[in-house]
């Protein structure tokens, strides 16, 4: 008897069915610069005009073990936005406007309904970031994944003016640090959060915290800051996406030699979920593992602070100082 690919655990028909199902979701993200449709060997995108010295930038990321919670809770509709956010929020820190996005979805056995729900979140995130979902890859690998587990990776491409990419030269002593709030943990620190909340504190998905179920708080999708960036760009000297490493390790990436950041902890608007995790984690570790309620930090000259505050939900958390590193006061 001959053995088929289906008997080995991989279904070409399921893959084809999935492409048909997600077609309408993907096409909703298209704009006038997308060339062709779905199903070619690669995605094509016409380069926008208007930049003097255009440079292409790329960013890639996943969603970490937040995906474990989504799978365990059987909640698949928000994790796709996390995937987009983690990539496009990095791009804007180099003043790049996101253009297009691609995703990679790998599983033991493709569940079309689950995968469609994930892609719906990716498409929603792309529309919010004003970038097109021009391609992706779906792989069935029964030898590497088991049961209902799957993994995600995302890839975003943007464009910027060459002279605007390195923001450190625009930062000066006395600039103010303004934060845009996070929507929660975003997509970092979940291995630690899961260990504390579910193993140490013995909490459950349905436990209430500030009037919400714990699982709803933990799966709140990562905020996408592209719209904020485009609106506030004229006022901003530099941007830092607060991901793994927290404020302590991400802020130095945008500070020139000889300058540091003074952060006033009592100015932060830290949600209760961080305090609950902090019951079992030392403060230094919390600030290195989590965003503590800050999703994006903007370095702003004093004369531009009012313009930022009037056009966003930003708040002042500190300032640039003559020092190196980050000091939490």
């Amino acid at each position: 008897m001959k053995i088929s690919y289906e008997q080995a655990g991989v279904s070409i028909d399921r893959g084809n069915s999935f492409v048909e199902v997600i077609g309408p979701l993907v096409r909703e993200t298209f704009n006038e610069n997308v060339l062709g449709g779905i199903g070619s060997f690669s995605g094509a995108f016409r380069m926008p005009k208007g930049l003097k010295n255009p440079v292409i930038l790329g960013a890639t990321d996943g969603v970490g073990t937040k995906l474990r919670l989504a799978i365990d809770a059987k909640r698949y509709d928000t994790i796709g936005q996390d995937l987009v956010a983690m990539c496009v929020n990095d791009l804007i820190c180099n003043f790049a406007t996101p253009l297009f996005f691609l995703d990679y979805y790998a599983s033991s056995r493709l569940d079309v309904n689950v995968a469609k729900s994930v892609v719906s979140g990716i498409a929603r995130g792309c529309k919010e970031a004003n970038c097109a979902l021009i391609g992706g890859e779906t792989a069935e690998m029964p030898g590497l994944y088991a049961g209902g587990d799957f993994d995600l990776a995302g890839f975003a491409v943007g464009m910027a003016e060459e002279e605007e990419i390195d923001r450190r030269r625009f930062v000066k002593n006395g600039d103010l640090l303004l934060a845009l709030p996070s929507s929660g943990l975003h997509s970092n620190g979940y291995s630690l959060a899961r260990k504390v909340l579910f193993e140490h504190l013995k909490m459950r998905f349905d436990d209430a915290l500030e009037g919400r179920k714990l699982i709803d708080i933990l799966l709140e999708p990562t905020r996408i800051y592209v719209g904020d960036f485009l609106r506030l760009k004229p006022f901003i000297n530099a941007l830092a996406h607060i991901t793994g490493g927290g404020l302590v390790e991400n802020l130095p990436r945008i500070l020139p030699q000889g300058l540091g950041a003074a952060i006033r902890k009592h100015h932060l608007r830290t949600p209760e979920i961080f305090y609950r995790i902090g019951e079992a984690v030392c403060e230094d570790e919390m600030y290195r593992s989590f965003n503590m309620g800050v999703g994006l930090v903007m370095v702003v000259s004093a004369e531009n602070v009012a313009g930022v505050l009037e056009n966003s939900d930003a708040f002042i958390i500190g300032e640039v100082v003559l020092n190196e590193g980050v000091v939490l006061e």
Side-chain angles (χ1 to χ4, degrees):
M1 183 182 73
K2 303 293 184 181
I3 300 174
S4 68
Y5 210 0
E6 178 91 32
Q7 290 171 318
V10 179
S11 172
I12 295 173
D13 290 337
R14 276 197 303 271
N16 291 336
S17 174
F18 176 59
V19 172
E20 291 181 11
V21 166
I22 65 171
L25 298 172
V26 174
R27 281 187 285 271
E28 286 181 3
T29 72
F30 285 4
N31 55 42
E32 68 277 5
N33 293 316
V34 177
L35 303 176
I38 305 169
S40 187
F41 289 93
S42 60
F45 194 91
R46 182 186 294 108
M47 290 294 96
K49 298 176 181 177
L51 297 184
K52 296 177 181 179
N53 298 301
V55 177
I56 296 296
L57 293 88
T60 184
D61 212 334
V63 293
T65 55
K66 187 173 187 176
L67 185 58
R68 177 76 269 157
L69 287 179
I71 293 171
D72 289 348
K74 294 181 170 54
R75 296 264 298 273
Y76 311 107
D77 58 331
T78 60
I79 203 75
Q81 178 174 324
D82 289 291
L83 188 66
V84 176
M86 295 304 290
C87 296
V88 299
N89 287 344
D90 277 353
L91 283 179
I92 62 175
C93 291
N94 292 111
F95 268 43
T97 300
L99 301 178
F100 59 83
F101 189 84
L102 301 98
D103 69 274
Y104 177 76
Y105 184 105
S107 64
S108 172
R109 183 183 187 278
L110 180 64
D111 184 315
V112 173
N113 290 326
V114 170
K116 179 186 177 183
S117 186
V118 173
V119 172
S120 71
I122 294 174
R124 187 166 57 252
C126 283
K127 286 190 286 186
E128 186 170 340
N130 196 31
C131 66
L133 177 58
I134 66 169
E137 176 66 16
T138 304
E140 285 187 309
M141 296 188 286
L144 287 178
Y145 298 92
D149 286 354
F150 61 91
D151 201 8
L152 297 172
F155 312 87
V157 171
M159 180 177 283
E161 291 280 11
E162 184 173 355
E163 61 271 20
E164 292 187 344
I165 293 173
D166 187 353
R167 306 307 304 174
R168 289 173 296 181
R169 64 191 181 94
F170 298 101
V171 177
K172 59 188 183 300
N173 180 38
D175 282 349
L176 278 298
L177 301 175
L178 279 69
L180 287 172
S182 69
S183 54
L185 274 67
H186 282 182
S187 295
N188 296 104
Y190 274 81
S191 293
L192 178 55
R194 288 167 48 239
K195 185 173 186 63
V196 170
L197 295 171
F198 301 117
E199 294 183 28
H200 180 74
L201 298 179
K202 307 298 183 183
M203 296 183 73
R204 298 170 299 178
F205 285 174
D206 290 338
D207 286 347
L209 191 66
E210 292 190 307
R212 299 179 66 197
K213 291 182 179 180
L214 178 61
I215 191 60
D216 293 338
I217 294 172
L218 294 176
L219 291 182
E220 182 72 29
T222 304
R223 176 171 167 175
I224 292 174
Y225 297 99
V226 174
D228 299 284
F229 161 69
L230 295 175
R231 186 174 62 257
L232 301 173
K233 183 178 178 181
F235 304 116
I236 301 170
N237 295 339
L239 284 170
H241 184 201
I242 308 305
T243 55
L247 288 161
V248 176
E249 295 189 7
N250 284 290
L251 277 179
R253 298 165 69 178
I254 60 169
L255 297 172
Q257 187 173 3
L259 293 183
I263 302 294
R264 295 172 181 83
K265 292 183 289 187
H266 62 281
H267 284 185
L268 302 184
R269 300 174 183 176
T270 305
E272 179 62 28
I273 182 65
F274 295 99
Y275 292 112
R276 185 59 60 91
I277 296 169
E279 292 176 12
V281 180
C282 69
E283 185 178 72
D284 287 348
E285 186 75 6
M286 289 295 296
Y287 276 92
R288 291 184 68 248
S289 303
F290 300 103
N291 65 56
M292 301 304 286
V294 175
L296 199 73
V297 172
M298 299 172 284
V299 181
V300 181
S301 300
E303 63 269 21
N304 290 326
V305 169
V308 173
L309 296 178
E310 291 169 3
N311 291 281
S312 71
D313 57 349
F315 53 98
I316 299 172
I317 62 169
E319 62 185 0
V320 177
V321 294
L322 290 173
N323 198 349
E324 291 198 354
V326 177
V327 177
L328 301 171
E329 300 176 344

